[in-house]
Amino acid sequence: MRIALASDHAAIELKALLRDWLIEMGHEVADLGPETTDSVDYPDFGYKLAEVVADGTAERGIALCGSGIGISMSVNRNPKLRCALVAEPLSASLCREHNDANCIALGARLIGVDMAKACVTAFLETEFAGGRHQRRVDKLSNPNC
């Protein structure tokens, strides 16, 4: 799977660990930055991540910042993105199954590496259920549906 990752300065370490792990798992990974712990603005990286998922360059996105809150808000500014902030695997699975999430956000200051990997695994392995959920997902991008 083609996966894009982006973070702010607070999540550099977790992003690097997840990037390397995903590559080991056989995924094609695009690390959209940043590369250092110098202070950056999370919206810049959230917007960049949203753009590559929206245009199909990446199939899924993983957004990270200190809490996961700010970067998820910036990703969700793009009407083609459905980014869910998750902290455990059940939410990561349900956001795919019921909401067809194409991005998850993780809070690097709030989640450990093993839990982050469990969330990513659930997110990548769960299929969208469709059916009654489809009309709701359609309304996320077009409220007039």
Side-chain angles (χ1 to χ4, degrees):
M1 188 177 296
R2 293 182 323 274
I3 303 165
L5 290 95
S7 72
D8 72 355
H9 54 279
I12 290 288
E13 185 177 323
L14 181 57
K15 178 174 60 85
L17 291 168
L18 291 175
R19 178 194 60 224
D20 295 346
W21 173 70
L22 287 165
I23 291 169
E24 287 174 18
M25 301 296 289
H27 296 286
E28 182 182 326
V29 179
D31 183 340
L32 303 178
E35 298 303 320
T36 71
T37 57
D38 295 341
S39 183
V40 297
D41 296 332
Y42 60 81
D44 297 335
F45 293 91
Y47 297 152
K48 187 186 300 187
L49 177 64
E51 185 177 309
V52 301
V53 175
D55 74 12
T57 302
E59 297 167 73
R60 304 263 177 91
I62 301 171
L64 304 104
C65 70
S67 68
I69 297 168
I71 201 161
S72 68
M73 289 178 173
S74 62
V75 169
N76 280 322
R77 295 283 185 177
N78 186 310
K80 292 184 178 181
L81 270 287
R82 294 171 304 281
C83 183
L85 173 58
V86 301
E88 37 67 38
L90 179 58
S91 294
S93 179
L94 288 172
C95 78
R96 284 286 310 134
E97 184 179 355
H98 292 181
N99 311 111
D100 197 19
N102 49 12
C103 185
I104 58 170
L106 302 168
R109 293 179 175 149
L110 306 175
I111 193 170
V113 175
D114 290 338
M115 185 59 73
K117 287 180 178 180
C119 289
V120 170
T121 298
F123 172 66
L124 296 178
E125 292 181 353
T126 303
E127 295 296 324
F128 176 49
R132 71 182 193 278
H133 303 290
Q134 185 63 60
R135 77 174 184 278
R136 298 168 185 149
V137 170
D138 291 342
K139 288 180 179 184
L140 293 172
S141 297
N142 183 359
N144 297 319
C145 284

